[in-house]
Amino acid sequence: MDMCLGAVIRDRRKAMKLTQEDLAEFSGLSVNFISRIERTGDQNISIKKIDAIAQSLNMDTPSLIAAAYGKVDISNYKLKGDDIFIQKIVNELRKLSTFRAEKVCKAILSLVREINEPTRFN
């Protein structure tokens, strides 16, 4: 059974617990565009935009297109839940100047190292 591209995108996005806003941010597309694709199944979309959406959904473009035409079942496609949080952090870091992003990264690394150190009791 054929699904439209919009339905596949919506189902995958929801399976990953992403909002339309998240997908728009990760793909560099507008929320209105994501909403329109999901609602109307508009098939007039460039391969560049399909690729951006596919990458944001942790998929490759051929799999996303194949799923829309019923050629591939993505219901068991491996979800990388942890990658979502990393991607959110990276997107926020990209909004900062290089100097500020470097400071934030150093602080995050310091915090992670501190958390991973075994607690020492005297």
Side-chain angles (χ1 to χ4, degrees), residues 9 13 15 23 25 27 42 65 70 109 121-122:
I9 291 169
R13 175 183 60 76
L23 183 55
E25 182 181 343
S27 65
D42 185 350
I65 294 169
L109 287 171
F121 295 99
N122 293 346

Side-chain angles (χ1 to χ4, degrees), residues 51-65:
D51 187 53
I53 292 169
Q55 287 183 21
S56 299
L57 296 173
N58 291 325
M59 297 182 69
D60 56 59
T61 302
S63 294
L64 180 61
I65 294 169

Side-chain angles (χ1 to χ4, degrees), residues 7-109:
V8 171
I9 291 169
R10 181 191 60 241
D11 292 349
R12 176 70 175 173
R13 175 183 60 76
K14 287 183 175 184
M16 293 178 68
K17 296 180 175 52
L18 294 175
T19 64
Q20 287 183 339
E21 291 79 8
D22 290 333
L23 183 55
E25 182 181 343
F26 295 161
S27 65
L29 303 170
S30 72
V31 177
N32 287 338
F33 182 82
I34 298 297
S35 176
R36 180 175 55 89
I37 293 298
E38 289 187 2
R39 264 186 296 103
T40 66
D42 185 350
Q43 300 299 307
N44 190 16
I45 176 174
S46 72
I47 194 70
K48 185 176 179 178
K49 290 179 181 178
I50 293 173
D51 187 53
I53 292 169
Q55 287 183 21
S56 299
L57 296 173
N58 291 325
M59 297 182 69
D60 56 59
T61 302
S63 294
L64 180 61
I65 294 169
Y69 292 96
K71 306 290 184 190
V72 166
D73 177 17
I74 62 168
S75 60
N76 292 323
Y77 206 93
K78 185 178 178 188
L79 297 177
K80 300 175 185 174
D82 292 344
D83 290 349
I84 295 166
F85 297 106
I86 292 169
Q87 199 165 10
K88 285 184 178 188
I89 290 170
V90 169
N91 285 337
E92 290 302 316
L93 287 171
R94 286 183 178 143
K95 296 175 187 176
L96 302 174
S97 69
T98 304
F99 176 75
R100 293 190 76 174
E102 185 177 331
K103 287 182 80 172
V104 171
C105 286
K106 287 179 180 178
I108 290 171
L109 287 171

